[in-house]
């Protein structure tokens, strides 16, 4: 079997062509250039140097994470593109699995650590074991790769605690070693060593060799199915989540231009979603009150209501799932109340699924009271509707 192997999960960019019994070629760069500049030229140069034809590979093994978010995206995109173009399956090899596999035959605890910042590392715990019985007439017993703890993102303190519990000698490798060497020395109560430089970084040959084993175990996927495994969200995503959490929701009058975004939210939230056409028709009604809400500059929710005489009925209200319980619905209800008071509307009506306890609690918190039950009102699934209303007291 022949595979093309790719690893751009860390500071090192590395590619290889690997067969069952040999590594045909391997090209590794650990320098300043970004992987977007180096990865495809490295593959092209390697293929040219050994006069290889990528159509002859059986699969593409790619380091699928954890690791650098940018690096993983570049490696994943490169592997997916080649897989789709060549019609070849992809083998997702966890980054730390391949790092540990490069210390072949070691019966100590193998602990690859990649710096995940903020006193955390991407890691796993591995070893090689040998069967006591060997083949008849032979003293050779092939070591078996054993995953003791699957890859994880964990604090250095927690990793030290776990390794001390194992009570065995540990071999460390990876770009986290120079960063956390002193912490490891201070906390470890077991013997430990650090792998030498030639096996201390990612190697595509190890990704390819382990990938062949995983392929034979049925652990492969189509190029379209492949996606990297980050283990935790990126710094940018964490910062955005923090901004969104702390931001104050703001409601405004819905415009025709908002209809597409509202329809998209509808389809994400409800099985009986309103179409964009239905939303536009509602906006055109003279007796409609329609709002959208934003949080940290992002579309967060919407409310559609109709008025008749001195009453307003909420027809739809929705908040995107990741921003629920952050004050968006309350902001929309407060804006509706303000407009109703300005239009001398005395009462707000709504209905809610009987089983939607969270929504019922929200409405009760905002002064709505239950008026009755409308049996089997909802479909998909069939469910009773709880009728609720709120009387607006004079200011």
């Amino acid at each position: 079997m022949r595979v093309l192997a790719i690893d751009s999960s860390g500071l090192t960019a590395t590619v290889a062509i690997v067969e069952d019994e040999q590594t045909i070629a391997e090209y590794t760069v650990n320098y300043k250039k970004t992987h977007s500049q180096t990865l495809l030229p490295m593959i092209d140069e390697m293929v040219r140097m050994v006069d290889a034809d990528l159509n002859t590979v059986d699969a593409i093994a790619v380091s699928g994470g954890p690791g650098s978010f940018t690096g993983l995206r570049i490696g994943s995109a490169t592997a997916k593109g080649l897989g789709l173009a060549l019609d070849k399956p992809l083998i997702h090899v966890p980054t730390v699995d391949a790092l540990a596999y490069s210390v072949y035959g070691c019966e100590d605890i193998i602990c690859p650590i990649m710096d995940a910042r903020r006193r955390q590392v991407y890691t796993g715990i591995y070893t090689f074991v040998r069967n006591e019985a060997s083949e008849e007439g032979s003293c050779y017993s092939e070591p078996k790769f054993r995953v003791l703890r699957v890859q994880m993102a964990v604090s250095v303190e927690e990793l030290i605690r776990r390794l001390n519990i194992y009570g065995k000698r540990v071999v460390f490798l990876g770009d986290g070693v120079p960063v956390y060497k002193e912490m490891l020395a201070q906390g470890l109560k077991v013997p430990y060593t650090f792998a030498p430089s030639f096996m201390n970084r990612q190697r595509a040959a190890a990704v390819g060799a382990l990938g062949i084993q995983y392929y034979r175990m049925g652990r492969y996927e189509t190029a379209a199915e492949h996606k990297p495994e980050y283990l935790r969200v990126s710094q940018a995503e964490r910062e955005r989540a923090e901004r969104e959490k702390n931001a104050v929701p703001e409601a405004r009058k819905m415009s025709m231009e908002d209809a597409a975004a509202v329809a998209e939210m509808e389809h994400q939230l409800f099985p009986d979603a309103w179409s964009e056409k239905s939303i536009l028709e509602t906006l055109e009604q003279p007796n409609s009150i329609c709002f959208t809400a934003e949080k940290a500059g992002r579309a967060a929710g919407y409310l559609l209501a109709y008025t008749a005489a001195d009453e307003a009925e909420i027809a739809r209200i929705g908040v995107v799932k990741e921003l629920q319980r952050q004050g968006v619905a309350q902001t929309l209800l407060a804006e509706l109340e303000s407009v109703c008071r300005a239009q001398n509307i005395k009462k707000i009506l709504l209905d809610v699924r009987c089983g939607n306890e969270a929504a019922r609690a929200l409405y009760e918190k905002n002064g709505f009271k239950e008026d009755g039950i409308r049996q089997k009102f909802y479909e998909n699934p069939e469910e009773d509707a709880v009728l609720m209303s709120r009387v607006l007291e004079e200011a």
Side-chain angles (χ1 to χ4, degrees), residues 6-9 61-68 72-73 75-76 91-96 98 151 207 221 226-231:
I6 299 170
D7 191 328
S8 59
S9 60
V62 58
S63 176
S68 156
L72 288 174
R73 283 193 287 267
S76 176
I91 311 165
H92 180 129
V93 179
T95 306
V96 286
Q151 60 184 12
V207 173
E221 58 198 353
H226 174 76
K227 59 182 179 180
E229 189 170 4
Y230 297 116
L231 290 191

Side-chain angles (χ1 to χ4, degrees), residues 59-364:
I60 299 169
V62 58
S63 176
S68 156
F69 290 90
T70 302
L72 288 174
R73 283 193 287 267
I74 293 168
S76 176
T78 301
K80 285 171 73 76
L82 289 170
L84 290 168
L86 300 170
D87 193 23
K88 304 293 182 182
L90 266 60
I91 311 165
H92 180 129
V93 179
T95 306
V96 286
D97 285 24
L99 270 167
Y101 192 72
S102 66
V103 195
Y104 183 82
C106 177
E107 296 179 54
D108 295 336
I109 295 290
I110 306 169
C111 187
I113 54 175
M114 300 173 66
D115 183 17
R117 309 281 179 87
R118 307 169 89 176
R119 293 166 68 96
Q120 287 194 331
V121 290
Y122 298 124
T123 187
I125 300 175
Y126 308 84
T127 192
F128 283 85
V129 296
R130 296 178 186 271
N131 295 325
E132 292 184 5
S134 59
E135 295 181 9
E136 186 177 348
S138 171
C139 62
Y140 174 72
S141 175
E142 184 176 352
K144 302 295 183 183
F145 187 53
R146 180 74 54 83
V147 180
L148 302 177
R149 180 64 171 83
V150 297
Q151 60 184 12
M152 55 186 166
V154 67
S155 70
V156 179
E157 292 88 349
E158 175 62 16
L159 176 61
I160 290 170
R161 186 189 69 81
R162 295 186 186 197
L163 293 173
N164 284 334
I165 290 173
Y166 277 101
K168 293 182 62 177
R169 184 190 303 274
V170 184
V171 177
F172 291 100
L173 70 159
D175 61 35
V177 169
V179 181
Y180 299 109
K181 203 170 187 177
E182 290 185 9
M183 288 184 65
L184 295 171
Q186 291 171 6
L188 286 168
K189 298 176 182 177
V190 294
Y192 62 90
T193 56
F194 299 108
S197 60
F198 70 90
M199 63 171 58
N200 197 35
R201 291 290 187 271
Q202 289 88 335
R203 284 194 60 188
V207 173
L210 189 56
I212 289 173
Q213 290 194 29
Y214 286 170
Y215 182 89
R216 290 186 172 136
M217 294 164 61
R219 293 172 56 178
Y220 56 87
E221 58 198 353
T222 65
E225 292 171 329
H226 174 76
K227 59 182 179 180
E229 189 170 4
Y230 297 116
L231 290 191
R232 69 177 199 187
V233 298
S234 69
Q235 178 70 23
E237 289 170 312
R238 287 197 299 272
E239 291 175 353
R240 186 185 75 176
E242 191 64 25
R243 287 196 303 271
E244 289 179 348
K245 181 180 177 181
N246 296 328
V248 176
E250 296 181 352
R252 61 172 173 79
K253 185 177 179 181
M254 189 184 299
S255 68
M256 295 293 184
E257 289 74 21
D258 294 318
V262 172
E264 178 63 28
M265 287 187 276
E266 271 278 306
H267 282 283
Q268 291 174 2
L269 293 168
F270 302 113
D272 59 340
W274 285 19
S275 66
E276 182 179 352
K277 180 182 177 183
S278 297
I279 294 164
L280 287 169
E281 289 174 349
T282 299
L283 282 167
E284 291 171 347
Q285 296 296 317
N287 65 328
S288 67
I289 301 175
C290 306
F291 303 117
T292 58
E294 294 181 347
K295 202 169 190 287
R298 176 186 174 189
Y302 56 93
L303 183 150
L304 305 172
Y306 295 101
T307 63
D310 61 350
E311 294 181 343
E313 182 172 3
I314 298 174
R316 304 295 275 189
I317 182 170
V319 177
V320 294
K321 290 182 179 179
E322 59 268 31
L323 296 179
Q324 291 175 1
R325 292 186 173 87
Q326 294 186 28
V328 178
Q330 199 144 349
T331 298
L332 288 164
L333 291 171
E335 188 70 15
L336 176 63
E337 178 184 342
S338 176
V339 170
C340 286
R341 289 186 182 280
Q343 296 183 13
N344 203 29
I345 290 171
K346 305 297 185 182
K347 192 175 185 180
I348 302 175
L349 311 171
L350 62 86
D351 54 69
V352 59
R353 282 182 178 270
C354 182
N356 193 343
E357 299 290 346
R360 290 171 65 180
L362 170 71
Y363 297 138
E364 288 173 4

Side-chain angles (χ1 to χ4, degrees), residues 34-50:
T34 63
H35 299 328
S36 60
Q37 294 174 291
T38 58
L39 205 58
L40 280 172
M42 286 168 63
I43 294 172
D44 185 61
E45 178 68 10
M46 178 182 66
V47 168
R48 186 185 65 79
M49 288 290 291
V50 297

